[in-house]
Amino acid sequence: MQLHDVWFVLIAVLWIGYFFLEGFDFGVGILTKALARDERERRVLINTIGPVWDGNEVWLLTAGGATFAAFPEWYATLFSGFYLALLLILVCLIVRGVAFEYRGKRDDAAWKRNWDTAIFWTSLLPAFLWGVAFGNIVHGVKIDASKEYVGSFLDLLNGYAILGGLVTLFLFTFHGAVFTALKTVGEIRERARALALKVGVVAALLALAFLIWTQLHHGDNWSFAAMVVAALALVGALVANQLGREGWAFLLSGVTIVAAVAMLFLTLFPDVMPSTLNPAWSLTVSNASASPYTLRIMTWVAAIMTPVVLVYQGWTYWVFRRRIGVHNIPA
C-alpha cells in the first residue's frame, strides 16, 4: 500500500468520524422542533449537545484540510463543482454556531424562537446536503480531460444523490433521537424513544434502497460486507431502542453510519471522483495526490496529533456523560 492509499483511508476515517459525531448533533438540532414542548425542554435538548457540538466539527475541518493537502486535485474539483452546495453548508454551520451561542443572550420569546428556527434549518439542510454531495461523488460527475467539473448545479440534483440526501437526513435524525433518549430523563426521554422508532423505520427503508442501488452499480465483495453490517446494525439499533437499551441503540446507530460511509468509500476506491464523461478522466488516488514528500510530512504530523485530539475529545464526553432533564433547567 502506497502513501496516497493510506491517506485515502485516513480521509475516509475522518469523514466517518465526522458523520458519526456531527450526525447526532444535527439530529438533535432537527428534533428541537419535534420533541420539545416548551422552552425548558428545548434547553434540555440543546444542552445535551452544548459541550460537544463544536468539538465534533473539528473532524470536518481536519477532513477538509487533509483532502486539500493530500489530494489537491480532488479538493479543487470538489469545491469548484459543488461550490453552491458547500457554501450553503458552510453558511449553515456558521449560523448554527451563532444560534447556539446567542439564543440565551436575551430573555425574549421572539428572540429565542427565531434562533430556534435557525437551529432547526441549519441542522436539517447540512444533514440533507452532505448526503447529496457524497451521492454525487460516488455516482460520478461531469469531469473533463482537464480534471475540471463541467456540469451545472442542477446536474447534482439527480435521483441517486437526492435519495442519498434523504438517507443522511433521516439516519442522522434517528441517531439524534437515540442520543437524546440516552442523555435525558423524564417525558422527553420517552418521547425520544417513540420518535426514534418512527424515524428509524423510514431511515431503514431509505437506506436499504440507497445501499442496494450503490452495491448494484459500484459494489464488490467488501462493499457488500459493509452493507450487510450497516443493515444489521440499523435493525439492532431499532430493537435495542424498543427494549430501552439506549446505550446499545446509540452504539448500533453509530455502527450503521460507520459501515454505510465505509461502503461509499469502498465503492469509490481507487477513484476519488469518477468522471461520467470518460472513465479515463476520473480523479484517482494516484493522479490527484500530492507529492510523496508532502504525504510523508503529513503522516508524521497525523501520527503525533491524532492521539492528542482523540484523548481530548474522549475526556470531554466523559466529563459531560450524565443524563439531564427539565429539573436541571432553571424555571
Side-chain angles (χ1 to χ4, degrees):
M1 181 179 282
Q2 300 185 47
L3 270 182
H4 50 62
D5 299 325
V6 172
W7 272 97
F8 178 83
V9 174
L10 290 176
I11 287 171
V13 170
L14 290 170
W15 280 109
I16 288 170
Y18 174 65
F19 287 135
F20 182 105
L21 295 172
E22 187 100 299
F24 73 74
D25 74 51
F26 279 147
V28 172
I30 294 168
L31 292 174
T32 53
K33 287 288 185 184
L35 270 182
R37 292 179 176 172
D38 54 33
E39 166 60 15
R40 294 179 74 189
E41 289 194 347
R42 268 187 289 279
R43 288 273 305 278
V44 170
L45 281 175
I46 293 171
N47 285 358
T48 62
I49 58 173
V52 298
W53 70 268
D54 48 356
N56 295 343
E57 292 187 353
V58 169
W59 289 76
L60 172 63
L61 297 174
T62 310
T67 306
F68 171 74
F71 298 100
E73 289 282 359
W74 185 11
Y75 183 91
T77 305
L78 178 66
F79 277 77
S80 60
F82 297 0
Y83 180 78
L84 285 177
L86 295 177
L87 178 63
L88 183 56
I89 290 173
L90 180 61
V91 170
C92 283
L93 295 180
I94 293 171
V95 173
R96 187 167 176 265
V98 173
F100 284 139
E101 298 294 335
Y102 276 77
R103 75 175 299 279
K105 296 296 183 184
R106 289 174 55 183
D107 190 17
D108 178 88
W111 169 271
K112 292 181 178 177
R113 188 167 56 249
N114 289 335
W115 285 120
D116 289 339
T117 301
I119 289 171
F120 171 76
W121 285 108
T122 56
S123 299
L124 185 147
L125 286 174
F128 174 73
L129 290 172
W130 279 128
V132 173
F134 272 81
N136 276 295
I137 291 173
V138 173
H139 176 69
V141 291
K142 294 179 178 177
I143 298 174
D144 67 9
S146 303
K147 313 300 183 191
E148 297 288 340
Y149 176 72
V150 293
S152 66
F153 177 73
L154 292 179
D155 289 330
L156 302 178
L157 302 178
N158 54 78
Y160 177 78
I162 290 174
L163 178 59
L166 291 174
V167 169
T168 50
L169 174 60
F170 279 89
L171 198 54
F172 291 169
T173 307
F174 172 66
H175 198 37
V178 293
F179 178 77
T180 301
L182 177 65
K183 290 290 293 179
T184 59
V185 294
E187 291 184 15
I188 196 167
R189 175 187 177 189
E190 298 305 318
R191 289 204 301 276
R193 284 181 52 200
L195 187 60
L197 174 63
K198 298 173 184 175
V199 176
V201 170
V202 178
L205 295 174
L206 291 170
L208 187 63
F210 180 74
L211 295 180
I212 289 176
W213 191 344
T214 303
Q215 178 64 25
L216 290 177
H217 286 81
H218 311 283
D220 57 16
N221 291 339
W222 289 103
S223 61
F224 178 75
M227 183 185 74
V228 171
V229 171
L232 292 177
L234 186 49
V235 172
L238 285 166
V239 172
N241 177 69
Q242 283 305 98
L243 296 175
R245 304 297 297 269
E246 290 141 356
W248 280 104
F250 177 69
L251 177 64
L252 289 169
S253 67
V255 171
T256 304
I257 293 173
V258 170
V261 180
M263 178 188 177
L264 296 184
F265 277 92
L266 285 168
T267 57
L268 193 58
F269 186 82
D271 292 335
V272 294
M273 211 162 175
S275 171
T276 56
L277 300 178
N278 186 335
W281 297 342
S282 297
L283 293 172
T284 68
V285 291
S286 56
N287 69 20
S289 70
S291 68
Y293 177 76
T294 301
L295 295 178
R296 278 198 298 273
I297 296 293
M298 290 177 61
T299 304
W300 278 107
V301 172
I304 295 170
M305 294 306 299
T306 301
V308 176
V309 173
L310 291 176
V311 168
Y312 173 75
Q313 197 155 26
W315 175 78
T316 303
Y317 277 88
W318 175 255
V319 169
F320 296 100
R321 66 188 181 279
R322 297 187 185 282
R323 293 177 185 264
I324 60 174
V326 291
H327 63 279
N328 298 113
I329 307 298

